[in-house]
Amino acid sequence: MSFNYLLDFFWNDVYNFQLKRTQNEYEAEDITLQSFAKAFDKINTFDEAYNFKTWLIQISKNIHIDLLRKKNASIRSKTTSDVDDAVYKIADDTPTPEDKLITEQNLSLLLRYIKQLKPHYQEVINLRYFQELSYKEISEVMNEPMNNIKVKLLRARKLLAEIITSKKD
């Protein structure tokens, strides 16, 4: 089966399932993309005795549960017995010069990694994450069907993750 076909055919099912669960379009879209990425990576484990849509929805459900667990763990780790003391301290969220430098260095490093991608992947990453365009807007800018954009972005993210991971070793 073609990945484009699977994406076209099942995208709305997974997206709508997640939209009901998350009540957030961006989160639903992100989880849906992750679901397809994971399904494509694990396609060899799919048992044809089962319904593909059910398998995909289960992957999506598990990703959402994992994200909720991570959020809850993060919230618990930030909650301390010193909460009462913290009430009296006024937080200064203004980035220090060091924070700004670190952010700029991380952004510069990320941009170097992005430059290692093929130009069409660079473009889709730029449009989505730096210009914050929707899939529909990217589809119009690049004059390509929206599902092609989704697949391109999925592949670009995966390749970028591989580049970043290989540089950390």
Side-chain angles (χ1 to χ4, degrees):
M1 273 190 257
S2 157
F3 291 140
N4 282 344
Y5 170 79
L6 294 175
L7 196 67
D8 286 346
F9 197 79
F10 294 107
W11 177 268
N12 287 340
D13 293 321
V14 178
Y15 175 77
N16 289 332
F17 174 78
Q18 281 304 326
L19 191 57
K20 285 179 190 159
R21 289 175 67 95
T22 63
Q23 302 290 309
N24 178 310
E25 289 179 15
Y26 180 77
E27 237 179 287
E29 198 173 79
D30 193 48
I31 293 170
T32 302
L33 271 172
Q34 288 180 47
S35 302
F36 277 95
K38 192 166 198 167
F40 294 163
D41 285 346
K42 306 287 183 189
I43 197 82
N44 59 328
T45 66
F46 173 64
D47 182 350
E48 291 187 22
Y50 298 99
N51 184 321
F52 186 80
K53 176 181 163 184
T54 306
W55 183 67
L56 198 54
I57 294 286
Q58 188 60 46
I59 290 172
S60 156
K61 186 177 178 182
N62 291 343
I63 289 172
H64 184 234
I65 290 168
D66 288 347
L67 290 172
L68 289 175
R69 283 185 185 140
K70 285 178 189 170
K71 278 183 188 174
N72 288 339
S74 173
I75 289 168
R76 277 195 301 276
S77 72
K78 290 177 184 170
T79 307
T80 65
S81 59
D82 301 328
V83 170
D84 292 334
D85 295 343
V87 170
Y88 299 104
K89 296 178 183 172
I90 297 173
D92 181 10
D93 290 335
T94 310
T96 65
E98 292 83 6
D99 290 338
K100 287 180 186 171
L101 185 63
I102 290 167
T103 303
E104 286 168 9
Q105 285 178 343
N106 287 340
L107 183 57
S108 159
L109 187 59
L110 179 61
L111 290 172
R112 275 201 304 264
Y113 291 151
I114 291 170
K115 291 272 185 235
Q116 294 176 35
L117 296 172
K118 291 181 178 175
H120 60 277
Y121 290 140
Q122 289 179 32
E123 182 180 14
V124 77
I125 291 270
N126 175 35
L127 293 171
R128 181 70 179 153
Y129 296 105
F130 293 97
Q131 296 183 32
E132 298 181 351
L133 298 183
S134 69
Y135 291 113
K136 186 174 190 277
E137 291 167 327
I138 296 169
S139 168
E140 290 165 4
V141 168
M142 294 182 75
N143 196 26
E144 289 187 38
M146 194 157 46
N147 283 329
N148 286 12
I149 298 302
K150 290 173 184 173
V151 169
K152 245 184 209 171
L153 191 57
L154 193 68
R155 289 181 184 149
R157 285 173 39 183
K158 187 174 166 108
L159 290 168
L160 188 56
E162 287 171 6
I163 290 169
I164 292 169
T165 305
S166 72
K167 299 296 181 196
K168 288 185 177 180
D169 294 339

